[in-house]
Amino acid sequence: MITTPNQEDIQAGQSIYTQKSLLVYDLMVTRFSNRFVWQCPRKTLIDFFKEHTSINHLDIGVGTGYFLNQLHLVPGKQRLGLLDMNKACLEHAKIKLNQFAPEIYQYSIFEPFTSISKKFDSVSLNYVLHCLPGNVAQKAIGFDHIKAILNQNGKIFGTTILGKNVKHNGLATKLLTIYNNKKIMHNLNDSCDELISELRKRFSKVDVKIRGCVALFVAG
Ligand SMILES: C[S@@+](CC[C@H](N)C(=O)[O-])C[C@H]1O[C@@H](n2cnc3c(N)ncnc32)[C@H](O)[C@@H]1O
């Protein structure tokens, strides 16, 4: 039986995102680390979001709201949901994306999203799985909760930094060790094969590509 990771470790995976740290997040992570550490430049991620975001979209693990803000979504025509367990992230992203009158949901991905009654056509999960404690099978409990609020032809897409069976440069190896020791990341044992296997258990169409040490996945 797959068990939910303990609450302390779940909290640790999001505790670094504070009002203060979010002010430098886009510069340090989105711009610098994506290109030079994880070797998956932000342009790749923006294009990925552009390709898969629908007009009825939910973003999970919102961070600063950076990627959604790059997409030229049309206010008035766009339904946008923001879901995160971290209040600071939700508040930061809500201000940035205010023109879309976003629906705000404060949940951990490990709990069912019971207040979402109207389903979504697309759900993004960008750089969230590597923050979650547990093995890939435990992280995939989140896929079940997403599937429950996805329309029948809807899709889930996202990215995650892998710890296993991808090539890490020197900086990536160092940062992975530090972040995993601090429990900011929990991904040393995450592999692409396991990710594919957990997605295939739940979705009929699964596509996963690797860029640098990042997996880009789409499933529906
Ligand atoms: C690395 S940031 C990614 C932010 C944004 N998606 C991006 O790519 O720029 C991880 C995000 O996942 C959220 N998060 C971490 N653990 C979570 C959990 N158990 N449930 C929901 N959100 C979580 C954090 O609060 C944060 O917003």
Side-chain angles (χ1 to χ4, degrees):
M1 182 173 147
I2 311 293
T3 53
T4 304
N6 75 58
Q7 203 54 37
E8 212 178 298
D9 289 342
I10 295 174
Q11 289 291 344
Q14 55 80 58
S15 59
I16 190 157
Y17 308 104
T18 60
Q19 267 181 350
K20 263 194 191 158
S21 72
L22 289 172
L23 295 175
V24 292
Y25 182 89
D26 289 344
L27 185 67
M28 304 272 287
V29 179
T30 310
R31 287 174 186 269
F32 181 82
S33 298
N34 279 343
R35 176 175 292 275
F36 298 108
V37 183
W38 316 124
Q39 297 181 297
C40 182
R42 92 197 132 97
K43 167 89 170 58
T44 304
L45 300 176
I46 293 170
D47 290 345
F48 187 58
F49 261 88
K50 278 189 183 153
E51 189 180 345
H52 298 293
T53 303
S54 73
I55 55 166
N56 179 21
H57 183 75
L58 175 71
D59 187 52
I60 298 183
V62 296
T64 64
Y66 176 87
F67 289 102
L68 295 170
N69 201 34
Q70 302 296 312
L71 303 186
H72 309 297
L73 304 174
V74 183
K77 292 198 173 155
Q78 179 71 41
R79 178 183 179 215
L80 187 61
L82 304 176
L83 187 148
D84 206 296
M85 72 181 288
N86 182 312
K87 207 169 168 209
C89 293
L90 285 171
E91 281 170 357
H92 191 109
K94 186 184 175 197
I95 292 169
K96 194 175 264 176
L97 299 161
N98 202 29
Q99 56 177 327
F100 304 106
E103 298 165 25
I104 305 298
Y105 301 103
Q106 190 173 10
Y107 285 105
S108 162
I109 197 166
F110 289 108
E111 51 185 335
F113 313 143
T114 48
S115 66
I116 300 182
S117 48
K118 191 177 163 218
K119 295 186 176 189
F120 290 92
D121 293 325
S122 56
V123 174
S124 51
L125 193 62
N126 199 58
Y127 277 12
V128 179
L129 293 176
H130 60 242
C131 302
L132 304 180
N135 56 33
V136 179
Q138 288 173 295
K139 296 174 189 222
I141 293 171
F143 296 156
D144 294 325
H145 299 149
I146 292 170
K147 206 175 164 187
I149 50 94
L150 203 53
N151 277 322
Q152 203 164 14
N153 292 323
K155 65 178 159 185
I156 165 178
F157 66 93
T159 65
T160 186
I161 298 164
L162 297 173
K164 228 164 83 176
N165 303 342
V166 284
K167 206 166 164 12
H168 299 112
N169 65 20
L171 205 48
T173 306
K174 271 199 188 117
L175 285 184
L176 277 179
T177 309
I178 295 170
Y179 291 159
N180 275 268
N181 283 342
K182 288 185 181 292
K183 296 190 170 187
I184 295 167
M185 281 189 183
H186 304 250
N187 63 340
L188 291 180
N189 290 315
D190 292 3
S191 72
C192 186
D193 286 349
E194 284 170 288
L195 176 63
I196 292 173
S197 154
E198 292 303 328
L199 287 167
R200 282 199 181 138
K201 284 180 193 167
R202 295 160 175 92
F203 300 99
S204 53
K205 278 192 238 156
V206 173
D207 183 38
V208 183
K209 290 188 180 66
I210 301 289
R211 181 77 195 265
C213 46
V214 176
L216 295 91
F217 58 90
V218 187

